[in-house]
Amino acid sequence: MALHLSLFLLLIFYRLSAGWHVSVQTGGSISFPCSYDLNHINHVKYWCKGLGWDVCSYVVRTDHPKSSGKNSISDDINKRIFTVTMTGLEPEDSENYRCVVEINGGPDIRIQWFYLSVTPGTPELYVDHQEVTGVEGGSVTVRCYYSNTGDMKWCRMGGDCVSGFSGTLNGTSVTLKRTSDANNRKALTVTMSGLKMENTDWYWCRVGELEMPVHITVSQQTATQRSSKMTSTTQDPTTQQPSASPTAEPVQTDNTSQGAEGNMEEVHQRPIDVKVLLISLGMLVVVTAGILVAWKMWRKHKDNKAENQPIITSADRFPDNDDVTYSTVVLKRKTQQKLQTKSAEPDDNVVYSSLALQVTTQHRAAAAQQLLTERRPWLSP
């Protein structure tokens, strides 16, 4: 009885002490990343199953055929990561697993422990796709579906984590958002924007004590992709079969996001011609407004100038000049002409006497006759 209790406690201890807890649905597949030190590039790596060294049996090794049944292993010496993929999982595959580096002439180095739980129902934490690809400068979106509780984080393997609502990882913007779909599946939606080539790596979606590894690959834009982006042709969404467990199949997510049913829903981009049209209209409005403002300012300046301009009088036109001598004769003649003209004009307010006019006429006639006689004596009687 005591032995059974000790074994039970030992099982619980190893499960709790395992580095990462991963949940997969029966029949599904899962990939585990294992990073190692630079000094172990040329060493053999292997994946073993068991609680302790004495019972940790080999599953697959890098120095043997790299696949054994439904398990396979690959070693990327440039990234210093070896990856183990397990497919067609059954409940009996639920166990503790280890990433190990073999050391000749010494104890092997245990890199990481995992506890794998294979369940016939929906896993407590899973993603639609473990392999996600994007292009440099673009973005990727990963949805981590969960039914458990606990702190939620998005972490880079061997690096920092982002929790809360937003943050950065290696200079790349990361946003976290809790959502739910039409089937009431709760999801932690992770979006990485402004991707860089160095963002290619393994990441972990963590909710409580459960974790799910996701590999993101960032590639450079091809000429076709650049041309497609310039012409703003959006890609059709790729239809995927609904999946309740993670798979290792790649999916392009630069211009798409993972749908609630495992489908890819397209993120429509604004056509480039519409952008150009809107920019042109905006510039036209700005230029027109500038012209109107300049015209109003010019009119206002012109009006102010007219108001401030001095009135020129006759005195200003003919200023007094001591060097000029004016003729008094001309002035007198003009004055006499004005007086004669004025005296010759009849005045309606004066009543003239006909008798005075007759006498005046007779005097004028007599004076004229006398003058004529003096000049021409032969005309006298």
Side-chain angles (χ1 to χ4, degrees), residues 161-234:
C161 297
V162 173
S163 59
F165 297 101
S166 62
T168 57
L169 289 177
N170 297 94
T172 299
S173 175
V174 179
T175 59
L176 306 181
K177 184 178 180 181
R178 299 185 184 186
T179 60
S180 60
D181 60 13
N183 295 328
N184 293 324
R185 294 188 302 175
K186 296 184 294 183
L188 174 63
T189 302
V190 181
T191 302
M192 297 182 63
S193 305
L195 294 174
K196 303 176 182 178
M197 296 297 295
E198 54 267 28
N199 293 138
T200 298
D201 207 342
W202 280 95
Y203 296 82
W204 290 87
C205 185
R206 297 180 179 177
V207 179
E209 68 172 8
L210 294 176
E211 300 174 296
M212 177 57 64
V214 177
H215 187 261
I216 294 179
T217 302
V218 181
S219 59
Q220 291 182 339
Q221 288 186 354
T222 63
T224 303
Q225 288 173 326
R226 286 192 293 268
S227 175
S228 176
K229 187 174 181 180
M230 290 299 295
T231 56
S232 296
T233 56
T234 57

Side-chain angles (χ1 to χ4, degrees), residues 129 236-242 262-265:
H129 303 279
D236 294 332
T238 304
T239 303
Q240 303 284 344
Q241 293 297 328
N263 296 331
M264 304 297 294
E265 61 181 16

